[in-house]
Amino acid sequence: MPAEEATSPSEDVQVNGHLEKSSSISAEEELFDPMCDPENPIVVKFQDVSAAAYKIRNGIERTPCTKSVQLSALTGIDLHFKKEFLQQTGSFKERGARYTLMALTKEQQKIGVVAASAGNHALALSYHGNQLGIPVTVVMPIIAPLMKVNLCRQYGGNVIVKGADIGVSRSHALKIGKDTGMVYINGYDHPHILAGQGTMGLEIVEQVSDIDAVVIPIGGGGLIAGSALAIKSLYPSVKVIGVESERCAGFTESMKAGKVVTVGAQSTLADGLAVPTVGVNAFATARNYIDQMVTVGEEFIALAILRLVEMEKAVVEGAGATGLAAVLAGLLPELKGKRVVIPLCGGNIDTTVLGRCIERGLAADGRLCRFVVTVSDRPGGIAELCKLIAKLGVSLKDIFHERAWLTSDIFSVQVKCVVETRDKEHAEQLQTELQRRYGNVTWGPDFDYSGPSPPHPLLVSSSTSCQELDP
């Protein structure tokens, strides 16, 4: 891979909260991970997954895989959720992290390991490194959530904050590994990581009988590679479906091309899946076991997060909810009446991002609506509108009236409202009544005051950064 461009010798980095001078990385210096060689990909075998399951059995939570009664009724699918967000650090990443650490030689365990991650991989390595007495250094980009940075430190990890994105962090981590002899661990493509993640697949087939399909989120490909290998080795008839965000469909494009390709990664609610280049080992292992690939839009990821909060009482991050999002989006109609397992593979979501996701989910569900209506600017005009809204049992969340840019009757006022309804049918009832009473009603996000107007904050594009390039 191309090396990182030379950095200024005076550039500062944060090491466990303290600013220190960064060592520069020469543009000519070779930074290469021998365990993830595009020219010689390593295909993980079923016996590797079996060995991982035996080794980590006492250090990893055997998470429940339970039927969702409400979502099964809603979707017409016999849905079971593998609740990986209940691991100690909140994601499936612990499986691969612990097995990789345990597979090190005694000398390697003494020297320690280094990795680049903005979240779940860093948390898992820090936690299990502390449990096993193995020094762990994690390089995290400046976009990494402060909560995750602090948690890594609490778990005993040596945290270095460096790089505007994960690519720069990775180059720095490889440089540290080369200089110190620490083993670099790729969070989604190291062969032992793949084998460890595959233990989830073994648990699924042990916990749920007569499975027709599993729907697994894909970022870098480590989870689906290990799990599909385990499931298909034992039950070849089980259909394995991979799901990606439509804003970063690297595995889908690689499957089409028959080789690993790099795609553009846009900001997405499923930030843990925003991996521009999938793992070469993961691709080589998984490609023959995946039966179908689908990509899902942002509104359905938000809706899946909302459904899980409301119906499962489960807080799941965008990447972890993507499998359910594909079902809610109607992308998998062939699964109606079938028994399907979906891993909820992570629950590390920032509180502020969770709030945004819930609001967007309500909007996608037709329960949070906005409209603009022109009413009389004489006394009682807006009061009449509010009475109509209240009469229908609709909750008024926000109201704003505009006079300056209105080009119609001088005694009229344009009113923008954000309201909460029970469901889409309730929203349609309100829309019908408004159109019957006022005629000129603009429903939804597309309206104009015939002049400048900022968009409502609920409907601006997501500012969620691509925090973790992991699964």
Side-chain angles (χ1 to χ4, degrees):
M1 62 166 285
E4 181 190 357
E5 294 182 359
T7 59
S8 169
S10 61
E11 184 180 355
D12 289 336
V13 297
Q14 272 196 31
V15 181
N16 276 343
H18 303 288
L19 284 177
E20 297 183 5
K21 296 298 180 183
S22 167
S23 59
S24 61
I25 300 174
S26 168
E28 289 77 30
E29 187 172 1
E30 183 181 6
L31 296 173
F32 177 69
D33 180 5
M35 300 304 294
C36 305
D37 183 0
E39 300 301 321
N40 298 287
I42 300 169
V43 178
V44 177
K45 306 297 183 185
F46 179 73
Q47 51 265 39
D48 300 322
V49 179
S50 299
Y54 180 78
K55 276 206 163 189
I56 68 173
R57 68 192 187 284
N58 295 323
I60 297 293
E61 296 290 333
R62 183 183 171 89
T63 56
C65 190
T66 55
K67 178 173 179 174
S68 172
V69 176
Q70 291 190 69
L71 283 167
S72 292
L74 178 70
T75 60
I77 299 171
D78 184 8
L79 276 180
H80 291 69
F81 290 130
K82 179 64 170 167
K83 298 179 180 178
E84 285 295 285
F85 62 92
L86 295 177
Q87 295 289 352
Q88 290 294 330
T89 64
S91 84
F92 72 94
K93 288 289 183 179
E94 291 190 31
R95 297 174 179 275
R98 187 172 183 90
Y99 179 56
T100 305
L101 291 171
M102 294 182 75
L104 297 171
T105 66
K106 293 292 183 184
E107 184 62 29
Q108 289 171 335
Q109 289 182 348
K110 184 178 179 180
I111 297 171
V113 300
V114 63
S117 169
N120 292 343
H121 181 50
L123 289 168
L125 274 180
S126 297
Y127 177 78
H128 286 281
N130 189 39
Q131 294 282 305
L132 297 167
I134 300 171
V136 171
T137 296
V138 289
V139 183
M140 306 182 78
I142 58 175
I143 60 170
L146 218 52
M147 176 190 72
K148 293 182 179 179
V149 174
N150 291 334
L151 272 176
C152 285
R153 290 187 177 126
Q154 288 177 31
Y155 291 146
N158 174 36
V159 178
I160 299 173
V161 178
K162 177 178 172 63
D165 56 50
I166 198 70
V168 177
S169 300
R170 181 178 184 274
S171 294
H172 192 67
L174 284 166
K175 173 71 164 54
I176 291 172
K178 184 174 182 179
D179 291 346
T180 64
M182 287 191 284
V183 176
Y184 175 78
I185 301 178
N186 184 303
Y188 56 83
D189 203 36
H190 192 288
H192 290 150
I193 290 286
L194 270 58
Q197 318 305 30
T199 63
M200 186 192 75
L202 292 180
E203 289 183 14
I204 285 174
V205 296
E206 289 173 2
Q207 292 170 307
V208 183
S209 60
D210 302 320
I211 301 171
D212 293 301
V214 291
V215 183
I216 302 176
I218 300 180
L223 180 63
I224 198 167
S227 296
L229 166 65
I231 293 167
K232 286 282 196 178
S233 296
L234 295 172
Y235 298 94
S237 63
V238 175
K239 187 175 184 180
V240 175
I241 301 169
V243 184
E244 292 183 295
S245 165
E246 65 183 12
R247 295 195 172 193
C248 190
F251 213 100
T252 300
E253 294 304 315
S254 296
M255 290 286 279
K256 290 178 182 177
K259 62 180 181 179
V260 173
V261 297
T262 299
V263 299
Q266 298 175 284
S267 178
T268 169
L269 294 176
D271 55 338
L273 305 186
V275 183
T277 308
V278 301
V280 293
N281 300 327
F283 182 76
T285 300
R287 61 183 301 183
N288 294 324
Y289 295 111
I290 298 176
D291 298 295
Q292 184 179 350
M293 289 291 304
V294 294
T295 59
V296 67
E298 295 290 285
E299 67 274 23
F300 289 104
I301 297 174
L303 183 58
I305 293 171
L306 175 64
R307 287 280 187 264
L308 289 167
V309 169
E310 289 186 323
M311 295 184 173
E312 290 296 301
K313 307 301 180 283
V315 177
V316 178
E317 61 188 278
T322 304
L324 176 60
V327 171
L328 296 178
L331 300 175
L332 302 169
E334 68 275 14
L335 298 183
K336 293 281 186 181
K338 302 291 181 67
R339 179 167 293 175
V340 178
V341 176
I342 299 177
L344 305 178
C345 49
N348 293 318
I349 183 170
D350 285 349
T351 308
T352 52
V353 175
L354 176 61
R356 295 176 193 170
C357 289
I358 290 174
E359 288 179 330
R360 291 182 182 215
L362 288 169
D365 205 21
R367 292 155 59 188
L368 194 65
C369 314
R370 72 172 184 170
F371 62 85
V372 174
V373 60
T374 303
V375 304
S376 170
D377 197 23
R378 299 184 187 278
I382 294 179
E384 184 182 345
L385 170 65
C386 292
K387 286 178 182 177
L388 172 60
I389 293 172
K391 181 181 177 182
L392 294 172
V394 174
S395 176
L396 182 60
K397 308 292 287 184
D398 190 21
I399 186 167
F400 174 79
H401 61 278
E402 181 58 65
R403 294 184 179 90
W405 286 281
L406 188 62
T407 56
S408 59
D409 181 6
I410 193 66
F411 295 108
S412 296
V413 61
Q414 209 164 44
V415 180
K416 178 180 74 173
C417 295
V418 177
V419 298
E420 187 173 356
T421 62
R422 291 188 302 271
D423 49 35
K424 282 187 177 180
E425 289 72 22
H426 195 200
E428 289 168 359
Q429 182 186 2
L430 172 63
Q431 185 178 7
T432 300
E433 285 297 314
L434 288 170
Q435 289 173 338
R436 185 184 63 80
R437 174 65 182 82
Y438 295 103
N440 185 20
V441 179
T442 304
W443 192 267
D446 300 322
F447 57 80
D448 184 19
Y449 287 126
S450 300
S453 174
H456 191 278
L458 296 181
L459 291 142
V460 292
S461 61
S462 171
S463 61
T464 308
S465 60
C466 295
Q467 296 168 345
E468 180 183 2
L469 310 184
D470 279 1

